[in-house]
Amino acid sequence: MSEVSADLGTGRASVGAVLDYAWTAEQFTATDVMASTSLTRSTAIEALATLVDARVLQELPNARMAGSYRGGRPARRFALSPDLGVVVGMDAGDTHLAVSVADARGDALVHHRVEVDPADTPTERRASIERHLGDALTEAGRDRADLLALCIGVAAPVDRYGVSPPHPEGFWERTNPGLATALAEWAPVVQVKNDAMLAAVAEGAHGAAVGCGDYVALLAGLRFGAGVVIDGNILHGAHGGVGEGVAFDHVVGVGSAFGLAPLLRDQARAAVEGGEIAATSAVGHLLDGERVDARAVLDLAAAHDPDAELVSARVGEILARVVGVFGSVYDPARVIICGAIAESIEPVLAAARTALPGQLDLPAPQLLASPLGAEVVSLGAITTARLAARSLAVPLLAERRLARA
């Protein structure tokens, strides 16, 4: 077995150390590698040569050829090979499907987001996922042979094997219709994860939890679901159920796992029907049959409409109870509201911050809105897929290439 697999248990660790550095760097020199890894020059150059031979790295034109040479011997420059392969991150929600294709460095090549029918059967949902996956790869000019790793987030608990437990109403089976098996042949590494867990990955890598080891990423749009990170580790559970929102069915003052958008709708409607808000008011005009535009309520609250502020305050009190549960059980430093609703949620957060200290005895966690928007799960899936590509797929690919050389 070649030294490329050093980080898989055998061979020389120098190649793994150089690959670790190259995975997050752009263009670099042997001197850069030495400074980052503490390898000697000869060891660094030998490891670089191995990775170039495996076509994991490419050697770039030197400074003289690139036109930036200013005297002395030009340094050799390296970067990840552009034809190393691609990774895919998917967000398979109840009503949407997002597919992102990125190169090995994580640069986006294609991103699709489509609405899907929540009444789809498991067979129909599985076929839709595979179809959109194939279409995205085709648009990126790639095929299965180029796919290093695939990670898909689903709105269900997921165990360590990518399997969701049965749900009393079949919901989890629809959102995760045997995907670990169905997608197994698509890539060397296929991972199925809970969507909130992937949101936590994204927040820790790119969002409001960078540098924080204790936080909760709360997907809170349509339903509550949380990814929990404590002492720098994502908590999982026997069935992947840590942070599952059904717990709030049993919390006094919350009463269900429905998220912030339904809560805004319900509180607005209740205030109008109870006579606290006039049907002819700005909030009253938002009522349309069974639907209320939650974003519009939040926009009115941000503009200091008193009726919308009333609705936001009441939802903030409910959110404070939700956050208080997480604060008491996990003692996080931060709770981050994730998803598309985070962009407008500040009026609710302001009210929740006021109410939160009364919900727990421990110091209240900092309550923040995610900066990552609607694609937080896709971003977490891409981040997870890149990690899997680095640790598993790329070393195996390099070994095969070196064996054929």
Side-chain angles (χ1 to χ4, degrees):
M1 185 174 289
S2 88
E3 61 187 41
V4 172
S5 61
D7 54 335
L8 299 182
T10 63
R12 295 172 57 183
S14 58
V15 176
V18 172
L19 182 53
D20 280 338
Y21 174 77
W23 204 248
T24 56
E26 294 189 8
Q27 299 179 11
F28 59 91
T29 66
T31 300
D32 296 328
V33 171
M34 292 163 56
S36 177
T37 64
S38 299
L39 296 174
T40 65
R41 175 169 290 276
S42 61
T43 301
I45 290 173
E46 182 181 359
L48 286 165
T50 298
L51 291 168
V52 170
D53 288 344
R55 303 196 306 282
V56 172
L57 299 182
Q58 66 170 349
E59 185 168 359
L60 303 173
N62 63 38
R64 179 184 289 114
M65 296 177 65
S68 58
Y69 174 60
R70 298 184 180 276
R73 182 177 179 180
R76 299 170 65 194
R77 300 180 303 133
F78 304 87
L80 282 176
S81 174
D83 63 354
L84 181 55
V86 297
V87 296
V88 168
M90 303 182 72
D91 174 11
D94 184 32
T95 61
H96 68 269
L97 175 63
V99 187
S100 298
V101 182
D103 63 20
R105 287 182 51 196
D107 294 331
L109 302 176
V110 168
H111 177 74
H112 286 164
R113 185 181 181 92
V114 298
E115 298 302 310
V116 295
D117 188 345
D120 281 348
T121 67
T123 299
E124 290 169 334
R125 180 59 58 88
R126 188 165 53 243
S128 176
I129 288 170
E130 294 198 65
R131 181 175 68 257
H132 285 289
L133 171 57
D135 289 347
L137 284 173
T138 299
E139 183 174 337
R142 306 300 180 103
D143 58 29
R144 291 195 196 191
D146 300 309
L147 189 48
L148 296 169
L150 164 64
C151 179
I152 181 167
V154 298
V158 183
D159 70 15
R160 293 173 178 84
Y161 304 99
V163 177
S164 296
H167 184 269
E169 299 175 1
F171 175 75
W172 294 339
E173 293 91 326
R174 291 198 305 274
T175 190
N176 180 16
L179 294 176
T181 299
L183 301 176
E185 301 302 319
W186 279 81
V189 185
V190 173
Q191 297 178 317
V192 183
K193 302 284 188 180
N194 170 258
D195 54 1
M197 186 181 296
L198 292 178
V201 170
E203 294 297 337
H206 311 285
V210 171
C212 181
D214 301 284
Y215 64 93
V216 173
L218 182 61
L219 283 176
L222 295 177
R223 294 182 64 85
F224 289 125
V228 181
V229 176
I230 300 298
D231 296 331
N233 298 306
I234 297 178
L235 302 189
H236 194 271
H239 308 98
V242 170
E244 172 56 34
V246 70
F248 294 105
D249 288 350
H250 312 290
V251 175
V252 175
V254 180
S256 78
F258 288 114
L260 296 178
L263 284 172
L264 285 160
R265 175 200 66 202
D266 293 345
Q267 290 298 323
R269 185 171 298 283
V272 170
E273 292 176 350
E276 295 176 279
I277 295 176
T280 56
S281 68
V283 170
H285 282 304
L286 294 176
L287 304 184
D288 178 18
E290 293 300 316
R291 301 186 63 183
V292 176
D293 186 338
R295 180 72 63 88
V297 173
L298 293 171
D299 288 343
L300 286 171
H304 303 295
D305 177 274
D307 295 329
E309 287 181 322
L310 172 66
V311 173
S312 296
R314 290 183 175 172
V315 174
E317 292 172 0
I318 297 171
L319 178 60
R321 292 178 181 270
V322 171
V323 174
V325 170
F326 287 117
S328 294
V329 173
Y330 298 113
D331 189 22
R334 302 175 191 172
V335 174
I336 303 158
I337 305 303
C338 303
I341 200 167
E343 298 173 0
S344 305
I345 202 61
E346 185 56 37
V348 171
L349 298 191
R353 293 186 191 108
T354 299
L356 183 56
Q359 298 298 321
L360 69 172
D361 293 333
L362 290 167
Q366 188 178 13
L367 185 55
L368 302 170
S370 168
L372 301 180
E375 304 308 328
V376 61
V377 175
S378 295
L379 183 56
I382 284 287
T383 302
T384 301
R386 285 196 72 235
L387 179 61
R390 159 62 192 97
S391 60
L392 296 172
V394 170
L396 293 173
L397 175 64
E399 287 179 10
R400 291 197 299 270
R401 288 176 173 179
L402 289 171
R404 293 195 298 263

